[in-house]
């Protein structure tokens, strides 16, 4: 095997470990979500197990990253990001950036008649920009309405909730770091 290929394969384990740790997952949680046993995951991260497509596909899915990112494939020069929507709690998130650093998503929140807002707090900071509709932002004991073209930023340690103001969907851009991404997009384990 050529040195370049060997170097790429050796980098997969540390890359997988970093992705798992960044998402705050244990090997046991990852094993439960992928169906790959803990021992195999540990050996894969440690470099003593050869990465195979059979192992990498479920890991890419759980970490919500392209397979190319797991193996460190070089960028092809095409700067486009392949938009893959994620449905979560009745909302649709569309990633607008690649994993790492601040994450940008387009978010579509449909009206949810009869549901009471549930304020949540987590690590991080968020920035929102309303594209269309009216956004109701509950932030601590404040209730704000933002219209298209308006933005807000806030510390997510403060309990907060976002939703449509009225019976029409709201579409917005949202920026958050890894902590915020994990709080909003990480699939719940059963």
């Amino acid at each position: 095997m050529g040195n370049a290929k060997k170097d790429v394969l050796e980098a997969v384990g540390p890359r997988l470990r970093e992705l798992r740790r960044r998402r705050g997952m244990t090997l046991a949680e990852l094993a439960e979500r992928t169906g790959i046993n803990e021992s195999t995951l540990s050996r894969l991260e440690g470099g003593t197990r050869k990465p195979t497509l059979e192992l990498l596909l479920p890991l890419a899915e759980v970490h919500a990253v392209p397979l190319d990112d797991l193996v460190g494939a070089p960028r092809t020069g095409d700067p486009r990001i392949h938009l893959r929507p994620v449905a979560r709690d009745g909302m649709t998130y569309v990633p607008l950036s690649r994993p790492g650093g601040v994450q940008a998503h387009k978010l579509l929140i449909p009206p949810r008649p009869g549901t009471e807002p549930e304020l949540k707090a987590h690590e991080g900071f968020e920035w929102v920009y309303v594209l269309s509709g009216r956004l109701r932002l509950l932030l601590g004991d404040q209730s704000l309405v933002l219209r298209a073209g308006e933005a807000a930023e806030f510390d997510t340690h403060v309990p907060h909730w976002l939703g449509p103001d009225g019976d029409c969907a709201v579409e917005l851009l949202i920026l958050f770091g890894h902590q915020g991404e994990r709080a909003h997009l990480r699939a719940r384990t059963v």
Side-chain angles (χ1 to χ4, degrees):
M1 181 184 319
N3 281 343
K5 287 180 185 175
K6 185 178 179 193
D7 291 345
V8 167
L9 288 177
E10 286 177 358
V12 171
R15 191 173 287 111
L16 288 170
R17 181 179 291 119
E18 174 60 24
L19 272 170
R20 178 179 57 79
R21 287 182 176 165
R22 242 191 308 175
R23 293 186 166 280
M25 295 178 78
T26 64
L27 280 171
E29 290 170 325
L30 188 58
E32 184 179 315
R33 297 208 26 221
T34 60
I36 301 169
N37 72 50
E38 252 182 278
S39 170
T40 299
L41 290 170
S42 177
R43 289 181 298 148
L44 190 58
E45 286 185 3
T48 58
R49 173 74 189 252
K50 190 176 182 179
T52 64
L53 197 54
E54 181 179 75
L55 295 172
L56 294 177
L57 285 173
L59 289 167
E61 184 178 336
V62 165
H63 292 310
V65 297
L67 193 55
D68 289 354
D69 287 359
L70 288 186
V71 296
R75 299 264 181 242
T76 60
D78 185 348
R80 289 177 292 189
I81 295 168
H82 302 287
L83 307 177
R84 292 187 177 92
V86 175
R88 182 85 168 123
D89 295 330
M91 298 178 273
T92 303
Y93 292 84
V94 180
L96 301 175
S97 59
R98 289 189 168 93
V102 173
Q103 295 294 292
H105 288 81
K106 181 176 161 185
L107 178 58
L108 179 65
I109 309 174
R112 294 176 279 187
T115 53
E116 286 297 312
E118 184 181 334
L119 280 73
K120 294 187 178 185
H122 55 82
E123 187 98 15
F125 205 81
E126 286 183 17
W127 175 90
V128 296
Y129 177 82
V130 180
L131 296 169
S132 67
R134 289 189 328 263
L135 175 70
R136 184 167 165 223
L137 169 62
L138 300 181
L139 187 60
D141 56 4
Q142 296 181 68
S143 178
L144 307 164
V145 175
L146 285 80
R147 290 172 172 68
E150 292 186 305
E153 60 182 353
F154 54 93
D155 183 333
T156 56
H157 288 99
V158 176
H160 60 283
W161 175 88
L162 304 169
D165 181 52
D167 58 359
C168 293
V170 63
E171 187 175 27
L172 54 125
L173 293 178
I174 186 166
L175 299 177
F176 41 66
H178 290 298
Q179 303 294 351
E181 180 187 27
R182 199 168 76 226
H184 288 284
L185 295 175
R186 185 172 167 194
R188 293 188 186 109
T189 53
V190 180

